[in-house]
Amino acid sequence: MKKILSVLLALVMLSALCVSAVADEVVEFTFGNFSVEDQAWHLAMDAAIEQFNADHEGVAKIINDRLPPASYNLNVATLGASGDLQTLVFVTGDLTNEYAQTGVIQPLSGLIAENGIADKISPDYFVEHTNNGEIYAIPAANSYFGFIVYNKEIFEEAGVEQFPTTMDEFYDACDKINAAGYIPMGMGDKDLWPADSISFSALVNRYCGNEWYENILAMNGEANFTDQCFIDALNAYLKIAEIGGFNKDAASIDNNQRMSLYMNKKVAMISAGQWECSTIHNDDPELEAISGIAPWPGPVENEAAPASIEVSNAWGIALSSKATDEQKMYAMEFMANYYVTEEFARTVIENTSTSTAWECEYDASKISPLVVSLFDNAPSWTACKNWDSTLPVTVKAAYQRGLQSLIIAETTAEAIAEEMQWEYEDLQ
Amino acid sequence: MQSNKLSKREKYEVYKYMAPGFLIYCFAIVIPLLVCLYLSFTNWKGGPVIEVTGVKNYVRMWNDKNFWLSFVHNLQMIAILIFTQIGIAFLISLFFRSKLIAMKEFHRRIIFLPCVLAAIVVGMTWQLIYNIDIGIIATILKRIGHPELIISWLDDPDLVILAICITLSWQYIGQFVVIITAGMTNVDQSVLEASEIDGANSFQKTVHIIFPLIRNTISVCLIMCISGCMKIFDIIFVMTGGGPGKASMVTALYAYDNAFRIHKIGYSAANAIGMVILSTLLIAIVRLLLYGRKKNA
């Protein structure tokens, strides 16, 4: 009797599940992102999603599947490997390429042309998310990376009157700053990306230039990682570590901890990304008032590109291959009418001093003066790519681990170049 | 004469009670291992397409100096932790036998407490301890007027493994103290009393009586230590991420990197199978050294 009752109960529960599944006609889809409450874009994201859900009540609903940045990358990597990505998902350029090749995200070229998104965003911004001529992700931000934010008062105290323009002047400045009792440059590379993404990518372009890097990406044999320009760039970076230019714990603290060093005036400068200017703007306006912006210095001779700065569309929004037709329709409607909008862009820039990949009118008085300075000066600098979001992942892994050893002066430029070249040749 | 063999009915009862545990074991251990073995023969990067490539991953792994470097780091940790975990646990267990220690139960519980802490808690705590700005070691050195002695433990490739081993020793010493203390409790008191009558001092009793009699316990501890070191991942992931560079990279973390940073899931599966083989070999060697070729060891 007990067995019969148990079986009946199980059947009732199962049928209740089926009924609820059938009765639910709302098209739900997930949006994977890292805009949690202490992250820069959450105001704009939350507003856009809430508005969409309100306008489509009973018809469609976005589930805001957000995680803190530290766990987001692992989440995306795991879901991508299993082919279970969220319907809409934030991905970096290198992941866009990987997932395009494995087929877990779908091409968007036709969709974004149909719904007008392509008209709002410059074609150049899609480059990092294009694979074999097809666009696979809609760029979210258009940011400057790899410029130096420096404390003018510490520089003056150390006797450095102008920000250096050559690496020799930079080393000299580091010596003076060290003598004045400060650490020259804050670095926090525990997570492997800062030493590359907001630092070296700009420096290396001054030695090698955009054409060299385009040849690397094209794998046409015209450029290799064992080329002298790249080794010279690595040696220039290594010398900063050798003269005590970085904090001693550069490899074991993260990017936020290194920002704390700058905020606490223990370091004279940091190599930064645009989003970090809003941190200084919000947390310490007095420090912001004495901070300046400068490009990375370059070689004394044979410089390949003057005053380089990374212009990056690192993050993009991709659409899962498993999205149903209804989910795809509503997802693209959300992107076209709620996300890629002037209102969204204005909320982002006025609250975070970061820029979306599409333009808008905004109140310049609300954004960080450092970013205003960046907007005024950066267009005259050489734009270059962010290696973190454009290098093939296998080469990037060797490169970033190598840089982490380099910033504590525990490896050589040649060793890194050799390992990167090995991975690069393996790809070809 | 009564047979000690189970009847069919009794066997059925035994299997019935074993079945749920066995099914969970298969689901959680055996099936993933078999899937991992299959994936190790492919070049899968995620997604719907899986291409079988034969032993290519194993050939690559054989020639991969980064994999072998990771394995060397595992061996270094084993070499250090055998002494710091088991050795110190043995000494602490001896102290617990002494009448000089009061509140033994309290001490046993305190010493075991770190074992139950989550790895992320332990990792972040010790990361702060080692911090050269705000860490307790640096603060004490500054206070006593020796800031020049401050070392960046987690940034020095020569010291990072040692720093991690100190953390692991702190965390797991309690576990071995409990095991060894239990083993020592089983040592016959009359043997010890007889040795005292024969004039044996504490050191002689420890080396010639206690240690040989708890040899099986020590071998269990050794196997636990080795298997723990071979699968170590969480503490290193939190504290250093395998850095600086590759100075604290271990095989489990290397497999993780290959799977989730580099998206070479097939190769990562081969790394995992390689870990299983190497761990089995290590444990076999340890058992051979401890027991020779005895069948029933």
Side-chain angles (χ1 to χ4, degrees):
Chain A
M1 186 63 187
K2 274 188 188 172
K3 276 189 186 171
I4 296 168
L5 276 172
S6 312
V7 169
L8 271 172
L9 189 63
L11 280 170
V12 164
M13 283 166 66
L14 266 170
S15 47
L17 227 103
C18 296
V19 164
S20 70
V22 165
D24 198 354
E25 290 174 355
V26 175
V27 177
E28 286 188 349
F29 59 97
T30 46
F31 187 173
N33 65 89
F34 49 87
S35 295
V36 291
E37 278 180 15
D38 63 344
Q39 288 300 305
W41 284 31
H42 87 274
L43 278 174
M45 287 283 285
D46 288 355
I49 291 171
E50 276 166 22
Q51 190 61 51
F52 177 89
N53 288 342
D55 292 347
H56 294 78
E57 196 171 337
V59 177
K61 185 180 177 188
I62 299 177
I63 298 165
N64 193 357
D65 185 9
R66 54 186 181 179
L67 285 171
S71 33
Y72 179 76
N73 290 330
L74 175 59
N75 178 263
V76 166
T78 313
L79 293 176
S82 62
D84 287 324
L85 284 173
Q86 296 94 335
T87 314
L88 286 173
V89 60
F90 262 82
V91 288
T92 49
D94 55 336
L95 275 185
T96 305
N97 283 318
E98 285 290 316
Y99 291 158
Q101 285 167 22
T102 56
V104 298
I105 57 176
Q106 53 181 291
L108 297 176
S109 305
L111 290 168
I112 60 174
E114 274 170 25
N115 60 25
I117 290 176
D119 298 329
K120 296 181 191 176
I121 300 176
S122 165
D124 291 340
Y125 298 168
F126 287 98
V127 168
E128 287 181 47
H129 300 283
T130 301
N131 184 271
N132 280 339
E134 279 281 356
I135 294 168
Y136 279 87
I138 299 165
N142 184 51
S143 295
Y144 289 115
F145 290 11
F147 55 92
I148 295 178
V149 176
Y150 65 101
N151 185 318
K152 291 177 189 170
E153 279 185 3
I154 294 178
F155 268 67
E156 271 171 35
E157 189 184 326
V160 183
E161 286 174 12
Q162 280 204 323
F163 193 85
T165 54
T166 68
M167 288 309 291
D168 285 349
E169 288 171 9
F170 187 83
Y171 302 137
D172 189 50
C174 287
D175 288 337
K176 288 179 180 170
I177 292 167
N178 264 322
Y182 297 94
I183 299 165
M185 180 172 270
M187 175 65 69
D189 195 50
K190 181 172 172 257
D191 298 322
L192 293 169
W193 59 269
D196 153 39
S197 184
I198 50 175
S199 244
F200 188 66
S201 290
L203 174 62
V204 69
N205 200 60
R206 298 212 60 177
Y207 284 77
C208 298
N210 280 319
E211 193 183 329
W212 178 88
Y213 189 58
E214 292 298 336
N215 286 331
I216 286 281
L217 293 178
M219 294 192 190
N220 57 16
E222 299 285 316
N224 291 296
F225 290 108
T226 46
D227 290 344
Q228 193 59 43
C229 66
F230 184 60
I231 293 181
D232 288 344
L234 287 170
N235 275 322
Y237 209 38
L238 173 62
K239 190 165 177 184
I240 303 173
E242 286 172 341
I243 61 171
F246 296 126
N247 42 303
K248 283 185 198 166
D249 53 357
S252 60
I253 62 169
D254 63 25
N255 201 50
N256 292 333
Q257 288 169 302
R258 142 269 200 201
M259 178 55 95
S260 299
L261 293 176
Y262 186 75
M263 303 295 278
N264 291 325
K265 297 178 185 170
K266 292 190 174 179
V267 305
M269 58 185 145
I270 52 173
S271 188
Q274 186 177 331
W275 81 93
E276 298 186 283
C277 296
S278 73
T279 306
I280 303 170
H281 178 66
N282 293 331
D283 292 354
D284 196 342
E286 284 177 15
L287 177 61
E288 185 184 48
I290 58 167
S291 295
I293 298 269
W296 267 90
V300 175
E301 299 170 333
N302 302 323
E303 84 175 349
S308 297
I309 188 166
E310 300 162 52
V311 180
S312 179
N313 313 106
W315 289 96
I317 299 153
L319 182 67
S320 167
S321 301
K322 288 188 175 177
T324 62
D325 288 340
E326 290 95 353
Q327 286 176 327
K328 185 159 60 174
M329 181 183 77
Y330 286 115
M332 294 316 295
E333 187 190 328
F334 168 74
M335 291 302 298
N337 300 328
Y338 295 84
Y339 195 86
V340 185
T341 62
E342 268 212 39
E343 189 185 335
F344 187 101
R346 192 177 308 114
T347 308
V348 165
I349 196 165
E350 288 180 358
N351 285 282
T352 71
S353 299
T354 55
S355 328
T356 56
W358 53 100
E359 289 178 356
C360 68
E361 301 280 330
Y362 62 90
D363 181 357
S365 68
K366 290 186 179 177
I367 69 170
S368 161
L370 287 173
V371 173
V372 172
S373 171
L374 198 59
F375 286 170
D376 289 340
N377 291 294
S380 64
W381 301 345
T382 311
C384 64
K385 284 187 177 172
N386 179 355
W387 286 33
D388 187 34
S389 57
T390 50
L391 264 186
V393 287
T394 51
V395 180
K396 185 173 86 165
Y399 162 63
Q400 289 186 340
R401 286 229 175 255
L403 281 186
Q404 194 183 63
S405 291
L406 198 82
I407 58 172
I408 53 168
E410 288 292 341
T411 188
T412 63
E414 287 78 10
I416 298 174
E418 220 177 274
E419 191 163 349
M420 288 176 72
Q421 185 64 22
W422 188 80
E423 292 288 352
Y424 185 61
E425 285 170 4
D426 195 49
L427 274 178
Q428 294 172 64
Chain B
M1 200 156 67
Q2 211 171 7
S3 166
N4 63 356
K5 284 189 180 174
L6 296 173
S7 67
K8 265 194 179 171
R9 193 166 184 280
E10 283 168 341
K11 275 186 192 174
Y12 169 73
E13 288 295 317
V14 169
Y15 292 146
K16 198 172 73 172
Y17 286 109
M18 279 175 64
F22 181 71
L23 284 170
I24 291 170
Y25 179 78
C26 283
F27 181 73
I29 308 285
V30 177
I31 292 173
L33 194 59
L34 292 172
V35 170
C36 184
L37 185 63
Y38 164 67
L39 288 175
S40 69
F41 293 105
T42 71
N43 66 351
W44 193 43
K45 288 184 172 185
V49 178
I50 303 180
E51 189 192 328
V52 175
T53 54
V55 296
K56 197 173 163 191
N57 285 332
Y58 289 98
V59 172
R60 185 191 163 107
M61 192 167 68
W62 181 257
N63 295 313
D64 185 352
K65 60 178 193 275
N66 289 327
F67 175 78
W68 294 108
L69 178 66
S70 308
F71 180 57
V72 164
H73 292 153
N74 282 104
L75 292 176
Q76 286 172 346
M77 290 176 67
I78 290 170
I80 295 169
L81 288 171
I82 282 175
F83 291 102
T84 56
Q85 282 184 344
I86 301 175
I88 296 176
F90 181 74
L91 290 172
I92 292 173
S93 301
L94 284 175
F95 280 131
F96 278 153
R97 290 176 61 86
S98 158
K99 289 170 188 167
L100 295 170
I101 306 274
M103 300 195 298
K104 285 180 185 166
E105 266 310 306
F106 172 75
H107 285 116
R108 268 198 207 103
R109 282 171 197 179
I110 291 292
I111 215 167
F112 190 75
L113 201 58
C115 297
V116 303
L117 294 175
I120 194 156
V121 168
V122 174
M124 290 188 78
T125 302
W126 277 87
Q127 211 183 8
L128 283 171
I129 289 171
Y130 288 131
N131 187 291
I132 60 172
D133 268 327
I134 57 171
I136 193 166
I137 299 173
T139 306
I140 291 171
L141 287 171
K142 282 178 202 168
R143 289 277 168 95
I144 63 171
H146 287 286
E148 73 281 0
L149 296 176
I150 295 172
I151 304 169
S152 187
W153 289 85
L154 302 180
D155 288 81
D156 189 335
D158 296 328
L159 292 176
V160 65
I161 294 277
L162 180 63
I164 291 167
C165 287
I166 291 171
T167 306
L168 288 168
S169 300
W170 175 84
Q171 187 178 12
Y172 290 112
I173 251 178
Q175 181 184 352
F176 293 108
V177 165
V178 166
I179 296 169
I180 293 171
T181 305
M184 284 182 179
T185 310
N186 289 331
V187 170
D188 194 346
Q189 284 300 313
S190 58
V191 176
L192 289 167
E193 283 164 9
S195 69
E196 277 174 29
I197 291 167
D198 289 339
N201 59 27
S202 300
F203 179 77
Q204 286 167 325
K205 272 195 288 184
T206 304
V207 170
H208 297 294
I209 296 172
I210 295 175
F211 190 81
L213 286 176
I214 64 164
R215 196 175 162 188
N216 285 341
T217 307
I218 297 291
S219 74
V220 166
C221 290
L222 272 174
I223 289 166
M224 285 175 67
C225 180
I226 291 168
S227 60
C229 287
M230 282 304 296
K231 65 180 171 68
I232 187 78
F233 169 81
D234 39 19
I235 290 279
I236 298 177
F237 182 79
V238 171
M239 288 179 76
T240 64
K246 288 169 278 194
S248 61
M249 181 64 75
V250 290
T251 47
L253 190 55
Y254 187 63
Y256 167 88
D257 253 16
N258 278 319
F260 297 110
R261 273 172 45 82
I262 304 176
H263 307 290
K264 281 186 176 176
I265 298 171
Y267 185 58
S268 170
N271 295 155
I273 299 295
M275 272 171 62
V276 170
I277 295 169
L278 289 169
S279 303
T280 310
L281 275 171
L282 271 174
I283 289 171
I285 291 167
V286 165
R287 287 181 67 84
L288 195 66
L289 288 169
L290 283 173
Y291 298 111
R293 289 180 185 272
K294 288 181 193 170
K295 280 188 184 175
N296 295 324

